[in-house]
Amino acid sequence: MNITISGVTVECIKGDIASQKGFSCVVNAANAWLKMGGGVAGAIHRAAGPGLEEECRPLAPIKPGEAVITSGHRLPNRYVIHCLGPVYGVDKPEDKILASCYRNTLELADSYRIDSIAFPAISTGAFGYPVEEAAKIAFKTILEEIPKLKYVKKIRFVLYSEKDLEIHKKVLSSLTEEAK
Ligand code: AR6
């Protein structure tokens, strides 16, 4: 699925965040210490190699909602933006924190003149955020940010399961219908 708003394409695909060729930047659903971890953080660090953890060390710890940027090392992407999502039911208010993840990441990407960025569904794995609730916040924030972006032209959501892909497609199309 693929929609274009103010010259920015937003798409949802099923795939692995660590193999997004042709994208300048991928987003890591990080832990506060910017270490390997499981899920997305595991896939990204494994593919990037040990140089990524080394570059991350002086940038840690980060707070929920915060985003920091590094190079992509052995990933097919020039940059990685590491963002710490809220733990559902623990880091409050979780909706505001999750929105700031997407806002801060897009603002940071634009300040680096990044043209294309791929996101995982931040907080919806180990951090327990219900997928549909998280998708609504993610896309609502992205749609609010798009008019402010100068350089980012392609935004991709990379979902790990068919079910998560379907939920994201449904949420994105209902929000863009509402905006018409
Ligand atoms: N590509 C795309 N999506 C993936 C991949 C992948 N390779 N692997 C998992 N997902 P999570 P969080 C999906 O747990 O909830 C880590 O251990 C997954 O199905 O990676 O923000 C860190 O170290 C889920 O929908 O991130 C942190 O401690 C979504 O990506 C903590 O988990 C996010 O799952 C962060 O938890």
Side-chain angles (χ1 to χ4, degrees):
M1 154 169 205
N2 184 325
I3 57 146
T4 303
I5 307 147
S6 319
V8 180
T9 305
V10 184
E11 65 176 5
C12 300
I13 66 154
K14 182 168 171 276
D16 179 357
I17 193 71
S19 56
Q20 298 304 311
K21 291 197 183 72
F23 273 68
S24 312
C25 177
V26 286
V27 179
N28 182 14
N31 50 67
W33 292 96
L34 305 175
K35 297 216 182 234
M36 170 89 84
V40 167
I44 284 185
H45 277 278
R46 264 193 309 280
L52 182 59
E53 260 194 1
E54 219 167 282
E55 188 183 351
C56 282
R57 205 166 300 132
L59 305 174
I62 61 169
K63 295 191 188 72
E66 211 180 315
V68 294
I69 190 163
T70 65
S71 60
H73 297 262
R74 294 181 202 151
L75 282 162
N77 320 95
R78 181 164 178 202
Y79 297 107
V80 180
I81 293 181
H82 307 260
C83 189
L84 177 62
V87 177
Y88 193 72
V90 174
D91 296 315
K92 303 252 179 197
E94 51 237 331
D95 55 342
K96 300 267 182 326
I97 298 173
L98 189 61
S100 60
C101 285
Y102 288 96
R103 192 178 320 110
N104 291 337
T105 298
L106 285 173
E107 285 172 4
L108 183 57
D110 214 53
S111 76
Y112 273 72
R113 303 185 172 204
I114 285 167
D115 61 342
S116 49
I117 181 164
F119 284 93
I122 297 170
S123 283
T124 65
F127 284 178
Y129 218 116
V131 175
E132 184 163 348
E133 252 182 78
K136 284 182 185 158
I137 293 162
F139 289 132
K140 191 169 169 284
T141 310
I142 287 171
L143 297 179
E144 283 166 7
E145 282 300 301
I146 280 178
K148 302 180 204 160
L149 301 172
K150 287 201 180 76
Y151 298 97
V152 177
K153 295 292 170 206
K154 270 165 71 180
I155 300 172
R156 171 178 278 180
F157 255 74
V158 182
L159 290 319
Y160 213 41
S161 69
E162 197 59 47
K163 184 158 177 273
D164 289 353
L165 174 63
E166 289 312 315
I167 293 170
H168 279 78
K169 282 185 187 170
K170 189 188 85 181
V171 169
L172 180 59
S173 43
S174 70
L175 284 176
T176 47
E177 277 304 309
E178 266 172 36
K180 277 181 191 161

